[in-house]
Amino acid sequence: MACSNSAVNMYQPASGSDVQTCIDNAASAGGGIVYLKPGSYTVSNLTIKQNVELLGAGIGLTILNDNSTTQPVIKGPSGSRYYFGRVGGFTIKANSSRTSGEAISLVNFNSCVLHDIEFQGNGSGQFGQGILLKSTDQGCYGNTIRHIVVSSQNSGPGTVIAFANGGDYSTNANATSIEDIYVYFNHGTTAVIDALRSALTRVSGGLIESN
């Protein structure tokens, strides 16, 4: 099957073109985990849905190859407040022709853990932002961002973590914990965290190396 349900509420896509189908199937079942086993998946504009988690086998094991020059690789649905659970466990590699845009773009999401994610450039291709957290009138609350890595020797994202809401960071960074951000090759990365730290619950750990 293109999207196998190998365990209770566990979905495994056979290829990149099957990932969104697995997300949709999990959402239709009321929630679940979409597990990306080790390998490479060519994807773009994946839309995470309510109570669905997207998990890979780990950084360097599950590779998401960016198939767009403008759209996010992973995004959340627009509209009301959403709860996603966990997203992570993979490397996201930019399209070689990309010069802007986000790798992950989430709007009005709450109680989510973004963890173990590596951003890689591809030649001159790079993301404008690694993670963009945005709120409209709903806000973003109680999220955790943990163990984010920029290790490309080519071009890293311009900003590793960015917040957007007309400059009102207090509503989209509220009670957000950021832990262990590693930028090993600081090529093209001009900012690690673009936010008012007073709006964040915790910022700790990590390593910045310019090479």
Side-chain angles (χ1 to χ4, degrees):
M1 294 178 62
C3 178
S4 61
N5 189 354
S6 59
V8 177
N9 294 332
M10 174 79 77
Y11 300 82
Q12 293 189 38
S15 65
S17 61
D18 302 319
V19 177
Q20 188 63 59
T21 299
C22 285
I23 293 172
D24 295 343
N25 289 351
S28 296
I33 296 172
V34 175
Y35 174 67
L36 306 175
K37 63 184 180 180
S40 295
Y41 301 81
T42 300
V43 296
S44 67
N45 218 26
L46 294 176
T47 302
I48 301 297
K49 298 187 175 181
Q50 181 87 348
N51 298 322
V52 176
E53 298 185 332
L54 182 64
L55 301 176
I59 288 175
L61 298 176
T62 298
I63 313 295
L64 302 184
N65 292 311
D66 176 24
N67 195 34
S68 174
T69 58
T70 58
Q71 297 295 325
V73 177
I74 299 170
K75 69 176 186 179
S78 60
S80 301
R81 191 171 297 167
Y82 288 90
Y83 300 84
F84 298 126
R86 297 171 295 164
V87 175
F90 41 71
T91 293
I92 300 179
K93 187 173 183 177
N95 188 300
S96 61
S97 298
R98 181 184 282 272
T99 59
S100 62
E102 310 87 40
I104 299 174
S105 178
L106 298 177
V107 180
N108 297 334
F109 75 106
N110 297 263
S111 303
C112 179
V113 179
L114 297 172
H115 67 94
D116 298 291
I117 300 171
E118 177 188 33
F119 298 112
Q120 282 190 0
N122 186 357
S124 60
Q126 65 172 333
F127 296 104
Q129 296 87 32
I131 300 171
L132 175 64
L133 313 183
K134 184 177 181 180
S135 68
T136 55
D137 59 341
Q138 301 294 325
C140 297
Y141 300 93
N143 301 293
T144 299
I145 302 173
R146 179 186 303 124
H147 192 213
I148 307 299
V149 177
V150 178
S151 62
S152 173
Q153 297 188 43
N154 299 306
S155 298
T159 303
V160 181
I161 301 171
F163 296 85
N165 185 32
D168 183 6
Y169 295 110
S170 63
T171 60
N172 57 21
N174 193 24
T176 293
S177 173
I178 298 178
E179 307 167 12
D180 301 328
I181 310 300
Y182 296 88
V183 181
Y184 292 113
F185 292 93
N186 198 14
H187 293 286
T189 298
T190 58
V192 178
I193 301 173
D194 175 20
L196 296 179
R197 287 179 175 241
S198 60
L200 302 171
T201 300
R202 178 185 180 192
V203 178
S204 66
L207 171 70
I208 309 298
E209 284 189 5
S210 296
N211 290 301

